[in-house]
Amino acid sequence: MNTGVTSKEAIMQVCRSIAAEKGLSALNMRAVARECHIALGTLYNYYSDKDELLIATVESVWKDMFHMNERCETALSFPDYAAWLFESIQRGAVKYPHFLTAHSISIAKSKKGRAKSTMEHDLGHMKAGMLAALLADPAVDPGIFSPSFTRSDLVDFVLDNILMLLVQGKANCTALLELIRRVVYR
């Protein structure tokens, strides 16, 4: 009788647990198979190699981080959405210590282009939410945008700075939020 973990979602729960407790660097096929109480060959039925397992885990961690508070904020002003995004990732960083830096390093070391496209997809999802909040915020002055400073440019700048502040371990993004307010609300 096999009492091991045999569904892809159950395997991902184990992978997220390993990532939370030991970090992404502890993820390998043997460790995951052992934690799932399955044969290594069974794990290979789900993931062809460590890179594929790592990519799936990173994507699963990002999803977990954004669903921790059980709702995704969509009806917020742009600065409030940026604050919500910062706080969501920050809460996730508590559950998954060193995830942001380990994520970047893991993706950089990956041999497959899929890792980079997955990271771009995850960041693209964040950017799309920010862009929607920016477009829906009636207080944003549309006159601040130009061909050389687009809404997408602002979103890229804000997300880059949110991630940088989080990697640096900053407790808040108050200065960034004040900068956003001074730029977009004239």
Side-chain angles (χ1 to χ4, degrees):
M1 180 169 103
N2 183 358
T3 59
V5 171
T6 55
S7 76
K8 212 166 189 175
E9 180 50 39
I11 291 169
M12 269 303 106
Q13 287 176 334
V14 169
C15 290
R16 286 192 307 269
S17 176
I18 291 170
E21 293 171 17
K22 301 174 186 168
L24 287 174
S25 62
L27 271 176
N28 66 63
M29 299 297 276
R30 290 187 189 286
V32 172
R34 186 174 44 254
E35 290 289 324
C36 291
H37 305 289
I38 59 175
L40 184 58
T42 302
L43 184 59
Y44 278 105
N45 289 332
Y46 293 97
Y47 301 98
S48 62
D49 59 24
K50 180 182 175 180
D51 281 345
E52 188 177 339
L53 179 71
L54 181 64
I55 290 165
T57 302
V58 166
E59 194 162 28
S60 184
V61 167
W62 276 119
K63 286 178 184 172
D64 188 41
M65 288 170 69
F66 288 107
H67 294 92
M68 284 180 152
N69 65 357
E70 298 181 15
R71 65 183 184 142
C72 183
E73 297 294 340
T74 54
L76 296 173
S77 69
F78 182 67
D80 289 343
Y81 188 90
W84 172 83
L85 186 62
F86 179 90
E87 291 162 7
S88 293
I89 299 172
Q90 189 176 48
R91 275 190 304 277
V94 170
K95 184 174 179 181
Y96 300 99
H98 311 294
F99 171 73
L100 292 175
T101 49
H103 170 243
S104 322
I105 292 166
S106 298
I107 296 299
K109 286 183 178 179
S110 175
K111 298 174 189 151
K112 296 185 178 182
R114 183 167 175 249
K116 185 174 180 181
S117 69
T118 299
M119 184 170 116
E120 289 170 357
H121 176 267
D122 295 338
L123 294 175
H125 181 71
M126 290 180 230
K127 288 177 183 182
M130 291 179 71
L131 188 57
L134 180 64
L135 292 168
D137 188 342
V140 171
D141 177 7
I144 66 165
F145 299 106
S146 69
S148 62
F149 180 64
T150 65
R151 287 168 179 82
S152 291
D153 292 332
L154 176 63
V155 165
D156 287 345
F157 173 82
V158 172
L159 182 58
D160 288 348
N161 279 276
I162 286 173
L163 294 174
M164 181 181 63
L165 291 168
L166 288 162
V167 167
Q168 291 174 348
K170 301 294 182 182
N172 62 58
C173 62
T174 316
L176 177 62
L177 297 175
E178 183 61 26
L179 177 66
I180 293 168
R181 287 185 189 95
R182 289 178 186 223
V183 169
V184 302
Y185 299 149
R186 288 194 177 185

